[in-house]
Amino acid sequence: MDFSLLGPITVTTGAGELALGPAKRSSVLALLLLQPNTTVPLEQLIDSLWEEEPPEHARTVVQGHVSRLRATLARGGAEAYGIELATHGSAYLLRLPEELIDAHRFAELVALARPEAAPADAVPLLREALGLWRGPALTGTVTSPPFAAAAHALEEQRLAATEALARAHGALGEHEQAAAILYTAAVNNPLREGMVAELMRALFRTGRQSDAMEWFHRTRRLLDEELGVGPGARLKGAYEEILRAEEAGAGGRGRGDTASGTGQGGGTHGAGRAAQGAPQEAGASDARPTTAQDPRVPAQGGRGPTGGAPGRTSGPPAVPRLLPRPPARFLGREQQLAALTTVVQSAVPGESPLAVVTGPAGVGKTACAVQWSHAYAGAFPDGQLFADLRGFNEGAAAEPVEILRDFLLALGTPPERVPTSAQSASALFRSLVAERRLLVVLDNAQSSAQVRPLLPGGAHCATVVTSRSRLDGLVATDVARPVPVQALGAAEGTALLGAMLGAERVADDPDAAQELVALCDGLPLALRAAAAQLTARPRWRLARLAAALRDERRRLALLSAEDTGVAAALRMSVARLSADDARLLSALAANADGHLNASVAAALAGADPEVIQEGLDRLTEMHLVDEEATDVYTISTLTQLFARDEGPAGGPEGKPGGGSGSG
């Protein structure tokens, strides 16, 4: 069980996020988490929850919220984690291991980091700490002065950690990374003079003298306009150091201790490159930084500085190439390939684009994603990661921590420095790829919850997920763009058979080829299995296989090739259904033409129409049923045959009346 204060107030268990209820209830929990294992008086809770005079029934309201929080935590299994919300007279005590609170873990990681004494170790610690933040602290609490003060204190800690991370990169000579880290923070906190001063020094060491001076003059104007004061000692000190370095001709470009506030950072990783160009005039400060000068934009080749990535010991960042081989004889899908390109190219600046390729079993989702990934690999020069999440395979789906370990090792993290918890491993992964141009392909996902820890956070990264489920959760929370993949039409299916068997063999029997496409429901997996049957029998005409496939009792068996087949793929989809939904699918298979509505489905299943509607929605989400129009559902012939043969059987996690388990 994890408690989050560094962003929206949330409580997360292995089964997902707990529903906390209204803002005041979340606020009660937040105040108890801010003082864990300490009694919090009822009067303090009342004073914090109401900005003005509290109502007469305030005590009753707070007591009600505490009671409901206690019940919510109990449902989430609080006792197993050693968590107890106890009442002590007129006070409350939230007893729990403090490491379950993200703010506590953040403070511990920052305390362990020593940016000046041990910068190489400090970088991954501070990146992991900052990776715990998911937005402004205490989001979702009431807007009262106590919560505003607590949020401000946490924000100050975040900014201090950001400055410490920049100092650690500077001590390693990684001045471009230091500038990139400070740039965004300074934009959001333009009157924080110390931060601007450090950004000026970092920019200067990378050869961006005019940008550094522009930051000074911009901040000086803001201080005068907003506060009516002049620059403080730290800001003026940075300005004068840069001027002196320019006048001395050193330019700070070959010596890490020139224009330095710490006297450290003698490396030349970033500064040495700047020395190759002519010095810029220090007074040329009126021009705004161009896109090429923006330190948030990676250096040439799409990569960030290579002086030392978090989690690595030395050397340039590893460039993983984990994509599987391109799909053989891939044809068509121009619309889906174009849609994937659009998702990446039209992403909102600063956001990491995310596409979800969805469709039924055997429709070719993985082939489509892998084909596009190979075609556009050049747009991601820092590497391509790939993982099979085994969401619809035999056995258990892959745990996020397992995939993260593979990713971190591929990115060059020493095995002994790979975190053992999914949360820490996810934070380190996001830190490692924050400044890279990286493609992540997550194949065969079972649920949105399985995917979220694996998403990169960098604005230059892109993620493609494939799943039989629609993964509506990713669409809702991460603005994922769906890319649906449908069955092939007659022409496309015939072309695939021609590519597999040879155009002449298909041209000799064109009517049979079209019949084969129809008997295979246009599924590429089924068509490839049919082609394998014909390849093994070179004397067979296509019509002979078509005749065999007309026998519905043999069709699924014929449309399999060793470990690949439609029946096996459908079996894995049905295994993720609840027992009730599996029975509903079996009942729908009895419908002769495969077209029905909710009323017909209810009659076939012998159940309440409202319950059936929910089941139809879950089957549609899993692409076992298609909703062609409002209350018009279809079930494919192959799915019907499978459901009739196999009968109702939910997966081990399925329970009567439950969801599909697909997220």
Side-chain angles (χ1 to χ4, degrees):
M1 184 173 284
D2 290 307
F3 297 86
S4 297
L5 297 174
L6 307 180
I9 306 299
T10 59
V11 182
T12 308
T13 70
E17 190 175 306
L18 300 181
L20 295 179
K24 279 190 169 56
R25 194 173 307 156
S26 296
S27 301
V28 169
L29 176 62
L31 197 58
L32 295 172
L33 290 171
L34 288 168
Q35 304 172 72
N37 302 307
T38 304
T39 54
V40 179
L42 178 60
E43 289 74 16
Q44 183 182 351
L45 286 166
I46 292 173
D47 291 342
S48 301
L49 290 179
W50 282 274
E51 187 170 356
E52 299 177 350
E53 188 70 20
E56 293 182 2
H57 60 285
R59 296 175 65 89
T60 304
V61 171
V62 173
Q63 290 167 351
H65 286 313
V66 170
S67 176
R68 288 176 175 82
L69 280 174
R70 188 179 288 123
T72 299
L73 294 175
R75 285 197 300 273
E79 185 178 357
Y81 296 92
I83 300 168
E84 179 188 10
L85 178 49
T87 302
H88 288 264
S90 61
Y92 298 102
L93 168 67
L94 182 57
R95 187 178 291 112
L96 78 167
E98 294 186 13
E99 60 268 19
L100 298 181
I101 308 172
D102 61 355
H104 177 81
R105 295 197 301 275
F106 170 80
E108 279 197 331
L109 288 166
V110 172
L112 288 171
R114 296 180 297 158
E116 284 82 16
D121 293 328
V123 165
L125 288 169
L126 291 167
R127 283 198 176 275
E128 183 176 350
L130 290 166
L132 295 173
W133 285 75
R134 299 173 299 109
L138 306 182
T139 298
T141 57
V142 298
T143 56
S144 66
F147 282 107
H152 178 73
L154 289 170
E155 176 64 13
E156 283 296 312
Q157 294 176 34
R158 185 185 70 82
L159 292 174
T162 301
E163 292 173 335
L165 177 59
R167 291 200 305 275
H169 279 297
L172 293 170
E174 299 162 0
H175 304 303
E176 288 199 13
Q177 288 205 28
I181 290 164
L182 291 168
Y183 187 96
T184 300
V187 167
N188 294 327
N189 300 271
L191 297 179
R192 194 177 178 92
E193 294 184 61
M195 180 176 286
V196 175
E198 291 307 313
L199 174 59
M200 289 171 58
R201 292 187 175 100
L203 289 169
F204 181 73
R205 294 190 197 111
T206 64
R208 299 187 178 105
Q209 297 93 326
S210 62
D211 293 347
M213 302 304 280
E214 164 63 14
W215 270 100
F216 172 79
H217 292 296
R218 181 192 307 173
T219 307
R220 176 180 54 78
R221 289 192 298 269
L222 278 174
L223 289 168
D224 180 53
E225 294 168 0
E226 299 289 333
L227 304 177
V229 299
R234 294 184 66 182
L235 195 61
K236 286 194 295 185
Y239 178 71
E240 291 167 358
E241 287 170 15
I242 293 172
L243 286 180
R244 284 197 301 270
E246 282 294 290
E247 290 170 359
R253 292 179 287 262
R255 306 204 317 260
D257 58 348
T258 303
S260 169
T262 63
Q264 299 184 35
T268 59
H269 292 71
R273 290 191 298 271
Q276 300 172 6
Q280 299 180 34
E281 185 179 342
S285 59
D286 293 335
R288 297 281 180 180
T290 65
T291 302
Q293 297 166 329
D294 190 331
R296 295 171 297 177
V297 178
Q300 288 183 357
R303 245 178 255 171
T306 60
R312 291 180 54 80
T313 54
S314 62
V319 181
R321 310 289 188 191
L322 303 189
L323 292 177
R325 58 179 294 186
R329 312 290 169 86
F330 184 89
L331 294 175
R333 302 302 192 194
E334 287 84 1
Q335 183 178 350
Q336 286 76 20
L337 297 175
L340 285 169
T341 304
T342 300
V343 170
V344 174
Q345 292 180 345
S346 63
V348 175
E351 288 188 1
S352 179
L354 170 60
V356 179
V357 181
T358 65
V363 80
K365 302 177 294 295
T366 300
C368 185
V370 172
Q371 176 74 12
W372 181 87
S373 298
H374 276 285
Y376 283 85
F380 304 98
D382 292 326
Q384 304 90 42
L385 297 173
F386 180 93
D388 179 3
L389 304 189
R390 306 196 302 273
F392 296 91
N393 291 13
E394 291 186 11
E399 292 294 332
V401 69
E402 170 192 347
I403 303 301
L404 286 166
R405 177 176 176 80
D406 291 342
F407 282 178
L408 291 172
L409 292 174
L411 290 164
T413 305
E416 66 275 9
R417 298 185 70 176
V418 175
T420 56
S421 74
Q423 191 169 35
S424 296
S426 180
L428 179 56
F429 171 62
R430 291 193 302 272
S431 299
L432 276 172
V433 304
E435 301 300 327
R436 299 195 188 192
R437 295 189 182 274
L438 191 79
L439 175 64
V440 180
V441 182
L442 304 173
D443 187 40
N444 198 14
Q446 177 180 340
S447 66
S448 298
Q450 186 190 25
V451 169
R452 287 193 185 97
L454 309 176
L455 296 177
H460 307 295
C461 297
T463 307
V464 176
V465 182
T466 76
S467 180
R468 299 179 193 181
S469 171
R470 291 197 308 252
L471 302 185
D472 292 341
L474 285 182
V475 177
T477 63
D478 297 271
V479 200
R481 301 301 182 191
V483 179
V485 181
Q486 294 87 14
L488 299 174
E492 294 172 313
T494 301
L496 178 58
L497 286 174
M500 297 289 293
L501 299 170
E504 291 183 1
R505 193 173 181 187
V506 172
D508 286 344
D509 216 348
D511 293 338
Q514 292 200 23
E515 185 180 4
L516 282 175
V517 175
L519 290 167
C520 291
D521 283 344
L523 290 179
L525 177 63
L527 287 166
R528 288 176 180 272
Q533 295 279 6
L534 289 166
T535 300
R537 299 166 177 81
R539 296 181 180 178
W540 276 28
R541 288 177 58 82
L542 273 62
R544 182 170 179 179
L545 179 60
L549 289 175
R550 291 187 202 117
D551 184 349
E552 293 185 346
R553 295 168 299 177
R554 301 177 59 200
R555 190 178 305 173
L556 288 174
L558 289 169
L559 294 179
S560 63
E562 200 171 353
D563 60 345
T564 300
V566 177
L570 287 169
R571 188 173 295 112
M572 293 304 101
S573 289
V574 174
R576 296 295 188 258
L577 297 178
S578 69
D580 280 358
D581 287 348
R583 281 192 290 270
L584 173 59
L585 182 67
S586 183
L588 300 182
N591 190 51
D593 65 356
H595 288 72
L596 43 85
N597 56 27
S599 298
V600 173
L604 289 169
D608 183 87
E610 290 188 6
V611 175
I612 291 302
Q613 182 63 63
E614 295 175 359
L616 284 171
D617 291 342
R618 289 190 292 269
L619 293 177
T620 301
E621 181 187 355
M622 291 286 289
H623 292 96
L624 289 165
V625 168
D626 287 326
E627 187 174 13
E628 290 189 343
T630 302
D631 199 28
V632 178
Y633 298 90
T634 62
I635 178 171
S636 71
T637 303
L638 292 179
T639 303
Q640 282 183 296
L641 294 177
F642 175 84
R644 291 173 192 167
D645 292 345
E646 297 284 330
E653 74 277 49
K655 296 180 175 59
S660 68
S662 66

